[in-house]
Amino acid sequence: MGWEDELFALFDDLEAEAGSLHAAERDAEVADRSRAEYQQVTLASRLMASLGTEVTIDVVGIGPLTGSVERLAEGWLLLSTGDHDWVVNSRLVGAVTGASVRSVPEVAWSPLTRLGLGSALRRISEAGERCLLHLRDGSRHEGTLRRVGADFCELAEGEERRVVLVAFDALAAAQSRA
């Protein structure tokens, strides 16, 4: 092998080494960017990507619920467990298992997702159906929702129709009784 061949072999080795160093540097940069971008992903965006998917969610005051995510909106989600539908206060969701690995950014959501927890409870109230309100402290109230205010709902409970006011901040979920 002549000196020219050795020189070209040396250049090839140096070029390969530079290429692998560049690839390693690029991989590190891509990983850093991925981590930086992922901090923009919310739990709600992961749940939005999970619509129609069976998940298990742990809800403060209730425990684990397994069902299909049917709807997601501002501060609440609708979970269908087969026997019952649950309007869950998403602020009290502690953990989720089985969610999609993808996310849907909020800019891609329907304008209807801006309807808050009060809107979901008003639908239950308008239907006149009995429901079971689960509170974050584990207590429960069963009855018929009468009216829904800005930050609370009014439940007619028991045969004596005793009125109970429940603050949204205390409400973990409303469970259908149908």
Side-chain angles (χ1 to χ4, degrees), residues 54-161:
E54 184 168 288
V55 298
T56 299
I57 60 174
D58 288 324
V59 182
V60 173
I62 299 172
L65 297 172
T66 300
S68 175
V69 180
E70 299 299 323
R71 178 168 288 190
L72 181 85
E74 180 78 26
W76 63 276
L77 63 95
L78 177 63
L79 188 75
S80 178
T81 61
D83 295 340
H84 302 284
D85 287 335
W86 295 76
V87 173
V88 178
N89 184 340
S90 61
R91 291 172 188 88
L92 296 181
V93 172
V96 179
T97 307
S100 172
V101 296
R102 304 197 184 290
S103 72
V104 177
E106 291 185 30
V107 296
W109 295 7
S110 160
L112 294 177
T113 61
R114 293 189 189 99
L115 298 174
L117 180 59
S119 293
L121 295 174
R122 280 183 199 91
R123 295 280 307 251
I124 296 171
S125 173
E126 290 166 2
E129 297 174 0
R130 294 185 57 75
C131 65
L132 183 60
L133 300 183
H134 296 262
L135 277 54
R136 70 185 321 161
D137 66 2
S139 63
R140 302 184 310 184
H141 297 279
E142 186 171 0
T144 305
L145 284 176
R146 291 179 37 175
R147 296 185 290 189
V148 180
D151 61 352
F152 75 99
C153 58
E154 185 178 298
L155 182 82
E157 185 178 53
E159 290 180 21
E160 64 277 355
R161 310 293 288 167

Side-chain angles (χ1 to χ4, degrees), residues 33-50 99-107 109:
R33 284 186 182 179
S34 294
R35 282 190 292 274
E37 288 298 316
Y38 196 73
Q39 72 184 9
Q40 304 301 317
V41 175
T42 64
L43 177 60
S45 71
R46 290 284 301 270
L47 288 171
M48 182 60 80
S50 301
S100 172
V101 296
R102 304 197 184 290
S103 72
V104 177
E106 291 185 30
V107 296
W109 295 7

